[in-house]
Amino acid sequence: MKVMKFGGTSVGTPTRMKEVTKLVTKSGEPVFVVLSAMAGTTNSLVEISDYLYKKNPDGANEIINQLERKYLKHIDELYQGDAVKEQTREFLTSEMNYLRSFTKELFTSFEEKSIVAQGELLSTNMVVNYMKEQGFKAVLLNALDFMRTDKNSEPDPAYIKEKLQALMEKNEGQQVYVTQGFICRNAYGEIDNLQRGGSDYTASLIGAAIGADEIQIWTDIDGMHNNDPRVVDHTQPVHHLHFEEAAELAYFGAKILHPTCVQPAKYAGIPVRLLNTMEPEAEGTTISNQTEYGKIKAVAAKDNIIAIKIKSSRMLLATGFLRKVFEIFESYQTPIDMVCTSEVGVSMSIDNSAHLGEIVDELKKYGTVTVDTGMCIICVVGDLDWSNIGFETKVLDAMKNIPVRMISYGGSNYNISFLIRDEDKKRALQSLSDQLFK
């Protein structure tokens, strides 16, 4: 069985919902479908929550009314039969009344998560009703009945597998199993969400739980490209990536995929394919545990980086120096991207400036601190094992005319990274494309 995940754009209109149904039922084989909320819905739900936080129920009700009118129009466009139209309208009315009920009560983050979850509940109900009207055997499995996180807010794979398999056995013989992405319950039974990776994470967890043959992530882009198409002309999709390569690209700027969301698939050995709903016949990108040796695959860029250098001759070779430095970043929950060390100092990069002032003040206890803002990390990904003689030279040659603040190489077999100024980003990406891919 395949797992097929569709994002908000893919189910953003009645026409798109019909196209998704065609894709899902095309093979005639059983499939498991994960759907996001319709494009724009989650933003509206967040706006409703914002009004309720500000104790403005009139503002919240106005957005709810706008959302209701939008969905009523979609119902008329999506269905043909009066019976299914009425059934879906009744469901929509109950959902909108549920949202209105929050305008009369104390509002906290717990209520906000319940409100935001309604987007996925709306889209999945609408699509399943349409599939049934078209004569397909489809069933809706509520993600809140099997998707759960533990006390550390991490997914609970054993619980997910047990509950999901029981639900599928109860609904055996269906052609399409549909569920919501993103939403779940936490360890205390409250409505919550998966945060990192959202619906992609849901698809990966489900694929691992049911032992899927393949997990397909359908978006409006034909896979991961070998460079940023917003900056560089004539980029091409990368047809195959190792999970580690995909994670590096995702972390360093390829927004099509969250770096952690495919981990369950990686550990289960299930390939993930990135496909385009607008061009369903396109090959897309396949991500698996297989490595294509001797190839540089792609380049990505991560913006809004800050470089911090601490120099301290009195700490020369001092035991515990690095530990003290890293503990400062940990205490302010600020992850470090790149690290370079010398005998008298260490340079690091971060992408979160929320506690920059406090971090710098703490670091000044141990040495002289220099901060560079307006920086960018360029990441080159591929088979960059140190035994591949000359590969790093090709990359360095492409960067020969770009001022480089830091270089990171050797921490991974799949990545070499450069810290440069934001203003040099376009030149660097274009030069790398010209040297490595043309």
Side-chain angles (χ1 to χ4, degrees):
M1 181 182 289
K2 292 178 181 177
V3 175
M4 304 174 73
K5 175 264 174 179
F6 295 89
T9 304
S10 299
V11 291
T13 65
T15 300
R16 298 307 310 150
M17 288 182 171
K18 292 175 183 179
E19 292 299 320
V20 163
T21 299
K22 289 178 183 177
L23 285 171
V24 163
T25 57
K26 185 177 180 180
S27 69
E29 299 175 357
V31 293
F32 203 117
V33 178
V34 178
L35 299 179
S36 298
M38 290 181 72
T41 298
T42 300
N43 289 340
S44 295
L45 295 171
V46 169
E47 189 176 3
I48 291 166
S49 300
D50 189 45
Y51 276 117
L52 294 176
Y53 274 124
K54 292 178 170 63
K55 303 188 185 305
N56 182 355
D58 291 338
N61 278 319
E62 187 172 337
I63 304 301
I64 293 169
N65 292 339
Q66 290 175 8
L67 200 61
E68 185 173 28
R69 289 194 294 271
K70 174 183 173 181
Y71 272 88
L72 285 170
K73 183 179 178 183
H74 288 332
I75 288 170
D76 286 332
E77 293 175 5
L78 185 59
Y79 307 109
Q80 293 180 332
D82 292 336
V84 69
K85 284 184 180 180
E86 185 57 32
Q87 176 191 348
T88 312
R89 283 194 199 101
E90 288 178 3
F91 171 74
L92 176 63
T93 299
S94 68
E95 283 290 292
M96 295 301 137
N97 287 338
Y98 177 70
L99 293 178
R100 291 184 182 102
S101 71
F102 290 98
T103 64
K104 306 169 186 176
E105 300 174 3
L106 177 69
F107 196 76
T108 69
S109 61
F110 298 109
E111 285 76 27
E112 179 183 14
K113 288 176 180 177
S114 295
I115 283 180
V116 173
Q118 303 313 305
E120 278 74 13
L121 295 171
L122 282 163
S123 64
T124 49
N125 270 275
M126 291 181 70
V127 171
V128 168
N129 287 347
Y130 175 73
M131 288 178 177
K132 288 179 178 178
E133 186 184 38
Q134 297 304 304
F136 300 109
K137 295 182 69 177
V139 63
L140 177 59
L141 304 182
N142 193 325
L144 300 178
D145 292 337
F146 65 86
M147 191 62 64
R148 188 178 78 170
T149 55
D150 58 23
K151 291 182 179 179
N152 296 317
S153 298
E154 295 293 336
D156 187 340
Y159 179 94
I160 295 167
K161 184 174 182 178
E162 177 190 349
K163 296 297 182 183
L164 181 55
Q165 287 185 346
L167 281 172
M168 293 191 70
E169 288 173 7
K170 185 178 177 181
N171 293 277
E172 194 175 359
Q174 300 291 325
Q175 183 180 348
V176 187
Y177 298 86
V178 179
T179 196
Q180 301 87 14
F182 178 62
I183 65 174
C184 65
R185 292 192 185 274
N186 61 25
Y188 309 100
E190 301 158 336
I191 294 178
D192 210 326
N193 58 67
L194 294 174
Q195 298 176 6
R196 297 170 299 178
S199 299
D200 294 348
Y201 209 177
T202 302
S204 189
L205 288 163
I206 289 172
I210 67 173
D213 301 318
E214 183 177 86
I215 298 166
Q216 298 179 352
I217 308 294
W218 290 81
T219 67
D220 55 357
I221 304 171
D222 53 346
M224 281 192 175
H225 279 230
N226 59 9
N227 211 322
D228 189 339
R230 297 166 300 180
V231 180
V232 177
D233 295 329
H234 310 301
T235 63
Q236 297 293 325
V238 181
H239 295 309
H240 182 268
L241 289 168
H242 187 279
F243 277 113
E244 295 289 343
E245 293 172 333
E248 295 279 8
L249 288 171
Y251 183 77
F252 285 105
K255 302 299 184 185
I256 188 174
L257 197 67
H258 192 281
T260 61
C261 73
V262 293
Q263 284 183 352
K266 173 188 172 183
Y267 297 139
I270 300 170
V272 175
R273 290 185 70 198
L274 308 179
L275 297 164
N276 186 354
T277 50
M278 309 301 176
E279 296 181 40
E281 303 306 320
E283 184 177 346
T285 300
T286 299
I287 306 169
S288 73
N289 283 318
Q290 302 298 315
T291 298
E292 283 188 302
Y293 295 102
K295 285 188 177 181
I296 295 176
K297 298 291 189 63
V299 181
K302 188 175 184 181
D303 300 322
N304 302 314
I305 302 297
I306 301 160
I308 303 172
K309 179 169 70 175
I310 173 171
K311 186 174 69 172
S312 179
S313 55
R314 66 186 176 88
M315 301 299 294
L316 177 65
L317 301 180
T319 302
F321 174 50
L322 284 178
R323 173 178 57 80
K324 291 173 183 176
V325 169
F326 291 144
E327 281 177 348
I328 292 170
F329 289 89
E330 182 183 2
S331 67
Y332 290 102
Q333 296 184 322
T334 301
I336 296 171
D337 288 319
M338 294 174 65
V339 180
C340 291
T341 62
S342 73
E343 291 181 346
V344 295
V346 56
S347 286
M348 297 147 291
S349 71
I350 61 174
D351 63 0
N352 182 355
S353 63
H355 299 286
L356 180 60
E358 297 100 313
I359 289 170
V360 170
D361 285 343
E362 294 280 345
L363 290 174
K364 284 180 177 177
K365 296 176 183 177
Y366 303 106
T368 305
V369 180
T370 305
V371 177
D372 294 316
T373 57
M375 308 297 284
C376 167
I377 294 177
I378 302 292
C379 171
V380 180
V381 165
D383 178 22
L384 289 162
D385 187 275
W386 68 277
S387 61
N388 291 333
I389 297 172
F391 272 39
E392 71 280 6
T393 306
K394 288 182 180 179
V395 178
L396 289 166
D397 189 51
M399 297 289 290
K400 65 185 179 184
N401 295 318
I402 308 294
V404 176
R405 169 71 173 74
M406 288 168 59
I407 300 176
S408 176
Y409 177 55
S412 161
N413 289 337
Y414 300 97
N415 166 9
I416 179 169
S417 297
F418 302 87
L419 184 66
I420 65 173
R421 297 175 303 197
D422 279 336
E423 61 201 70
D424 296 320
K425 170 183 165 181
K426 183 171 183 177
R427 275 200 308 139
L429 291 179
Q430 189 66 61
S431 179
L432 286 163
S433 266
D434 293 342
Q435 295 280 348
L436 300 178
F437 306 131
K438 288 186 179 178

